[in-house]
């Protein structure tokens, strides 16, 4: 274990991929670049059915079951859909890629800071963020950040513009890129990745990207903005509250960020056909919320802290993939202080 | 010495901390704004751009607090964010953190500079805001090109439409001089009272049940304007010393609690000069107070 004078109890990193909220517009595929209208949330009240599991006593007694099922299950929810004449969803957001990963934003131990910075510099010299940037770029190209809106879309086009430095534009047909693996080798993606890698590896430079994603989902189809986390909804009966900014349906920046950093194919179960969850988001414990599982547990010494603590103090990691993973967690950012007890 | 003003228009900040003191939710604390500008100055100085930012004015153009109020609810509830699962795949406890999206313009007082220095400064500021800075814990998404002006009336209109936050500690001082408790005084200026009085009885048209009384809403007599509670600094509650695991081992540490007073949002066209807008750091070590305040000569303790 590390010596006591080498422990940073205050240690934090800012995120290096900074997405804005994603704003949702409706349009038609043929005029997608010219005409768009902001999508609004609609409140719906529906009469639902009682379809949850009932107690055995109720299940077995038809009269009781009838009485239960006859109840009106009234629900008020937010919803969002394209206008009747529109067939395409436009999702617009910006993404800032920052450098300066060698400097923690807060660190209270000079010795640790030095050994960490050395390890980070060695990584940058060796890898220059090539692999991570390639994966981030692929996630931009494959439109993973559409989440549920991506499912069943007929055509998806992604237009990425660099807003600073060399003005460049990249166009992708997202359906050509799978979200299952990162084996694709595409010139456009590689070029975008090179720009992102340059910013990530820099000391204090940045890259500002503007992303417009068009998904042809069908006329008047429902689209899916982020749902708000309201723990105490008060007296109101609304059971689902969706996110909107200035009256425009939107996706949380956190949700876009999670999709962009869904690049972890290095966790132990990935190759296991039964257990694998595909690429998962970069998280210190490899947590996947909708499975309620952590794929990198301290027991297997595959979590971020087990790897980072030794690596940042100058030890080599056995696999390059582990180094990619550790750096990707730092790009994600967070508070990683260690108890000094 | 004459001063110039560096104006950074329309900074869009995303997910900033709206929990400005332990008991107020709203516009980020003044310490956040002055702190961000001070951090900007230190980063500029590191790049050997000599600039001294002595005072800051904040003008809010848009403020979107992330709260939810359902139909018929009296109180708002905070819209939370979910934290990632822990090592066992369980959801950790929710910690309520109030966030806001906002657009502000900053007016920063700088000492007079030559043209060349000015260009260097503006380039440096733009780069740092894009690449290195956060404000009030939020991400800076975009801003308009900063510029330097020396006459307040020149750029006042560019701060419109918007609301400058100015200090109304005078109201607190006044109320406390009359013996009011500080918290009572603060709430007293913010509360809206509903009064009712019997309607005049008109014999020809006897009033129906509802119209027998007239309701009126009013605030405290001198509480005109858009008053808000704001956190403006810290009051030390322990002596200077070293604490375990403090962030910066070179600077002494002390425990402190927030100072909250009244502020007012005012349209910039109502302000005569830049000093009506600007906030300064003020340290009063005899009273153990670290404060952001307007007009440094004012004394209200």
């Amino acid at each position: 274990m590390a010596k006591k004078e080498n422990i940073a109890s205050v240690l934090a990193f800012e995120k290096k991929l900074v997405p804005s909220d994603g704003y949702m517009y409706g349009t038609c595929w043929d005029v997608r670049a010219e005409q768009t209208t902001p999508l609004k949330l609609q409140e719906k009240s529906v009469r639902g059915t009682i379809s949850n599991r009932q107690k055995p006593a109720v299940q077995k007694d038809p009269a009781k079951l009838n009485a239960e099922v006859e109840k009106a299950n009234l629900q008020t929810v937010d919803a969002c859909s394209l206008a009747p004449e529109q067939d395409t969803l436009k999702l617009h957001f910006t993404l800032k890629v920052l450098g300066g990963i060698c400097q923690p934003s807060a660190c209270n131990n000079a010795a640790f800071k030095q050994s960490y910075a050395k390890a980070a510099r060695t990584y940058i010299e060796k890898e220059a963020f090539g692999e991570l940037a390639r994966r981030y770029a692929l996630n931009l190209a494959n439109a993973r950040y559409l989440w549920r809106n991506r499912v069943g879309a007929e055509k998806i086009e992604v237009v990425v513009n660099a807003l600073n430095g060399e003005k460049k534009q990249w166009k992708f047909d997202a359906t050509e890129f799978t979200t299952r693996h990162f084996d694709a080798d595409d010139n456009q993606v590689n070029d975008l990745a090179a720009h992102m890698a340059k910013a990530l590896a820099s000391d204090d430079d940045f890259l500002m990207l503007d992303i417009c994603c068009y998904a042809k989902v069908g006329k008047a189809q429902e689209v899916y903005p982020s749902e708000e986390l309201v723990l105490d909804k008060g007296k109101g009966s609304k059971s689902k509250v969706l996110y909107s900014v200035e009256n425009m349906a939107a996706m949380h920046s956190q949700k876009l960020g999670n999709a962009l950093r869904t690049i972890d194919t290095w966790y132990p179960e990935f190759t296991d056909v039964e257990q694998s969850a595909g690429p998962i988001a970069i998280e210190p414990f490899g947590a996947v919320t909708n499975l309620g599982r952590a794929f990198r547990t301290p027991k297997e010494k595959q979590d971020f802290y087990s790897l980072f603590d030794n690596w940042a103090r100058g030890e080599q990691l056995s696999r390059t993939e582990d180094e990619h993973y550790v750096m990707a967690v730092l790009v994600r950012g967070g508070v990683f202080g260690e108890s000094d007890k | 010495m004459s001063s110039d003003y560096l104006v950074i228009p329309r900074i869009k900040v995303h997910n900033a901390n709206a929990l400005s003191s332990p008991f107020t939710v709203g516009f980020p604390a003044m310490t956040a704004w002055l702190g961000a500008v001070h951090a900007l100055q230190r980063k500029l100085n590191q790049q050997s751009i000599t600039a001294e930012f002595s005072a800051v004015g904040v003008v809010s153009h848009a403020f979107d607090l992330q709260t939810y109020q359902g139909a018929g609810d009296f109180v708002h509830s905070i819209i939370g964010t979910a934290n990632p699962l822990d090592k066992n795949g369980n959801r950790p406890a929710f910690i309520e953190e109030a966030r806001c999206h906002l657009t502000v313009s900053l007016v920063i007082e700088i000492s007079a500079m030559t043209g060349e220095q000015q260009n260097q400064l503006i380039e440096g500021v733009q780069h740092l805001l894009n690449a290195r800075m956060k404000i009030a814990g939020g991400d800076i998404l975009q801003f308009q090109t900063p510029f330097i002006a020396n006459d307040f009336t020149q750029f006042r209109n560019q701060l419109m439409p918007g609301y400058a936050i100015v200090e109304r500690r005078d109201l607190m001082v006044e109320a406390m001089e009359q013996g009011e408790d500080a918290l009572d005084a603060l709430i007293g200026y913010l509360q809206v009272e509903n009064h009712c009085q019997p309607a005049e009885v008109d014999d020809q048209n006897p009033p129906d049940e509802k119209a027998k009384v007239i309701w009126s809403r009013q605030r405290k007599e001198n509480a005109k304007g858009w008053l808000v509670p704001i956190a403006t600094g810290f009051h030390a509650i322990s002596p200077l010393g070293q604490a375990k695991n403090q962030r910066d081992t070179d600077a002494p540490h002390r425990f402190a609690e927030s100072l909250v007073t009244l502020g007012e949002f005012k349209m910039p066209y109502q302000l005569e000069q830049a000093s009506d807008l600007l906030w300064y750091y003020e340290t009063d070590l005899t009273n153990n107070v670290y404060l952001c305040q307007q007009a440094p000569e004012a004394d209200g303790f």
Side-chain angles (χ1 to χ4, degrees):
Chain A
M1 199 51 219
K3 276 179 279 165
K4 195 140 195 194
E5 60 268 25
N6 210 354
I7 283 174
S9 52
V10 177
L11 181 65
F13 289 83
E14 285 157 9
K15 57 180 169 288
K16 300 298 181 194
L17 293 179
V18 187
S20 71
D21 281 333
Y23 302 103
M24 298 178 116
Y25 302 81
T27 179
C28 295
W29 183 259
D30 298 328
V31 291
R32 58 191 181 277
E34 291 97 46
Q35 287 175 26
T36 55
T37 48
L39 290 178
K40 286 192 170 65
L41 300 181
Q42 296 130 23
E43 201 175 276
K44 269 188 193 175
S45 292
V46 293
R47 184 189 195 277
T49 55
I50 303 281
S51 46
N52 57 310
R53 279 178 202 268
Q54 302 293 321
K55 280 181 243 145
V58 178
Q59 270 181 13
K60 281 176 195 146
D61 183 347
K64 271 189 188 161
L65 189 62
N66 259 346
E68 198 63 32
V69 170
E70 268 173 13
K71 284 182 192 161
N73 185 11
L74 300 180
Q75 295 171 355
T76 308
V77 293
D78 276 342
C80 183
S81 55
L82 298 175
E85 68 281 2
Q86 295 173 335
D87 61 3
T88 300
L89 165 72
K90 174 187 170 185
L91 181 73
H92 176 234
F93 65 100
T94 59
L95 174 70
K96 207 150 67 164
V97 186
L98 302 177
I101 198 141
C102 296
Q103 293 284 328
S105 64
C107 176
N108 68 345
N109 187 308
F112 179 89
K113 198 170 168 182
Q114 223 171 19
S115 69
Y116 160 72
K118 199 170 152 235
R121 260 192 215 100
T122 316
Y123 175 83
I124 292 174
E125 273 163 31
K126 199 170 67 170
E127 300 288 337
F129 274 104
E131 178 64 16
L132 292 188
R134 196 177 67 83
R135 290 178 176 228
Y136 295 137
L138 266 168
N139 274 340
L140 280 175
N142 69 18
R144 191 191 293 275
Y145 42 80
L146 284 176
W147 289 97
R148 193 171 164 187
N149 299 301
R150 193 182 188 280
V151 179
E154 192 184 333
K155 296 176 188 168
I156 308 173
E157 185 187 58
V158 180
V159 184
V160 180
N161 275 297
L163 297 182
N164 70 319
E166 191 190 344
K167 299 272 184 300
K168 284 206 79 165
Q169 190 182 67
W170 298 271
K171 263 191 191 174
F172 304 103
D173 176 359
T175 51
E176 283 177 14
F177 300 96
T178 170
T179 54
R180 299 265 143 223
H181 58 75
F182 295 97
D183 299 339
D185 188 23
D186 179 273
N187 286 338
Q188 290 254 54
V189 173
N190 293 346
D191 189 37
L192 172 58
H195 279 72
M196 293 175 77
K198 196 172 144 248
L200 283 168
S202 70
D203 270 340
D204 70 340
D205 209 359
F206 69 99
L207 173 68
M208 191 75 141
L209 297 175
D210 176 279
I211 296 117
C212 288
C213 176
Y214 305 94
K216 189 175 178 191
V217 292
K219 280 190 177 161
Q221 278 292 314
E222 186 168 7
V223 296
Y224 303 97
S226 291
E227 186 172 349
E228 297 273 46
L229 174 66
V230 186
L231 291 176
D232 177 19
K233 292 200 179 77
K235 281 187 295 188
S237 56
K238 199 189 277 193
S239 54
K240 181 154 75 172
V241 184
L242 296 181
Y243 185 45
S244 71
V245 180
E246 285 163 13
N247 242 336
M248 194 191 314
M251 278 172 102
H252 290 144
S253 57
Q254 291 92 333
K255 187 159 183 151
L256 300 177
N258 186 285
L260 292 177
R261 65 181 141 85
T262 299
I263 59 168
D264 187 357
T265 58
W266 308 301
Y267 60 99
E269 274 106 326
F270 178 71
T271 44
D272 182 338
V273 184
E274 301 258 295
Q275 296 285 317
S276 178
I280 62 172
I282 291 291
E283 289 290 334
F285 294 116
V288 179
T289 314
N290 53 8
L291 300 179
R293 255 200 82 177
F295 282 93
R296 290 173 171 272
T297 55
K299 215 172 86 192
E300 292 159 353
K301 297 255 181 264
Q302 281 298 316
D303 65 312
F304 169 71
Y305 300 101
S306 306
L307 298 168
F308 177 74
D309 286 353
N310 297 326
W311 176 79
R313 295 195 174 89
E315 273 179 44
Q316 292 289 318
L317 295 178
S318 53
R319 305 188 306 160
T320 322
E321 286 85 353
D322 290 341
E323 286 183 29
H324 289 323
Y325 167 69
V326 167
M327 286 311 275
V329 177
L330 299 177
V331 168
R332 167 197 183 270
V335 179
F336 305 124
E338 190 176 354
S339 165
D340 59 351
K341 286 195 192 92
Chain B
M1 193 176 69
S2 73
S3 22
D4 288 340
Y5 301 100
L6 169 68
V7 184
I8 313 176
R10 303 295 199 271
I11 311 175
K12 214 172 153 190
V13 187
H14 194 232
N15 281 333
N17 177 16
L19 199 63
S20 48
S21 80
F23 50 90
T24 54
V25 166
F27 202 67
M30 284 321 294
T31 45
W33 301 109
L34 269 78
V37 169
H38 186 62
L40 181 64
Q41 181 197 322
R42 288 174 70 153
K43 286 180 176 137
L44 284 166
N45 293 160
Q46 275 172 13
Q47 301 181 352
S48 56
I49 297 171
T50 51
E52 202 185 322
F53 297 160
S54 42
V56 185
V58 186
V59 180
S60 165
H61 303 288
F63 180 75
D64 184 5
L65 188 63
Q66 296 296 294
T67 55
Y68 173 75
Q69 187 184 32
D73 286 354
F74 182 67
V75 292
H76 294 252
S77 37
I78 289 173
I79 296 176
T81 52
N83 292 314
L85 307 179
D86 64 14
K87 61 187 175 194
N88 300 319
N90 298 323
R91 181 169 287 296
F94 285 106
I95 299 169
E96 292 220 313
E97 288 168 321
R99 297 164 297 120
C100 60
H101 307 328
L102 68 172
T103 308
V104 293
S105 293
L106 291 179
V107 178
I108 302 168
E109 188 183 65
I110 52 176
S111 43
M113 305 181 108
T114 63
E116 194 190 336
Q117 283 173 318
Q118 287 187 355
N119 293 340
Q120 223 187 357
L121 176 71
I122 285 177
E123 260 170 47
V125 166
Q126 276 182 291
H127 185 84
L128 282 172
L129 283 181
N130 270 317
R132 294 282 302 278
M133 292 286 299
K134 287 192 146 202
I135 292 183
D139 302 316
I140 300 171
L141 292 183
Q142 59 187 67
F143 52 91
Q144 289 174 9
T145 314
F147 61 89
I148 290 174
N150 55 19
D151 183 3
F152 179 62
T153 48
Q154 274 176 4
F155 61 83
R156 185 168 58 188
N157 284 349
Q158 291 177 53
L159 303 175
M160 294 286 292
Y163 290 93
I165 180 102
V166 300
E167 190 177 22
R168 292 307 304 273
R169 199 170 68 192
D170 54 312
L171 292 176
M172 292 291 290
V173 172
E174 198 180 301
M176 287 171 76
E177 272 169 1
Q178 287 164 17
E180 246 186 288
D181 172 70
L183 194 59
D184 286 347
L186 187 79
I187 295 169
Y189 281 109
L190 300 171
Q191 73 193 11
V192 179
E193 290 172 2
N194 288 302
H195 293 280
C196 77
Q197 59 190 106
E200 278 177 41
V201 181
D202 182 353
D203 285 336
Q204 266 83 49
N205 307 309
D208 59 25
E209 272 308 301
K210 273 186 186 164
K212 273 184 183 164
V213 291
I214 297 170
W215 282 95
S216 60
R217 319 178 72 195
Q218 70 178 53
R219 294 168 64 187
K220 203 164 169 170
E221 219 148 77
N222 51 356
K224 294 277 183 291
W226 181 1
L227 296 178
V228 289
I230 45 167
T232 56
F234 297 99
H235 180 238
I237 54 174
S238 79
L240 281 171
Q242 292 283 320
K244 204 178 164 196
N245 298 336
Q246 65 184 58
R247 258 190 195 205
D248 181 357
T249 43
D250 300 331
H253 180 275
R254 81 197 304 190
F255 292 93
E257 58 189 19
S258 289
L259 290 170
V260 179
T261 188
L262 283 173
E264 182 182 348
F265 282 112
K266 258 185 160 172
M267 284 268 193
Y269 77 86
Q270 291 180 308
L271 306 175
E272 298 283 310
Q273 62 233 354
S275 62
D276 294 340
L277 176 77
L278 295 174
W279 293 71
Y280 305 78
Y281 276 127
E282 179 71 20
T283 315
D284 180 357
L285 286 182
T286 50
N287 288 313
N288 294 332
V289 165
Y290 303 83
L291 200 61
C292 306
Q293 65 172 19
Q294 292 199 289
E297 66 281 356
D299 51 351
F301 286 103

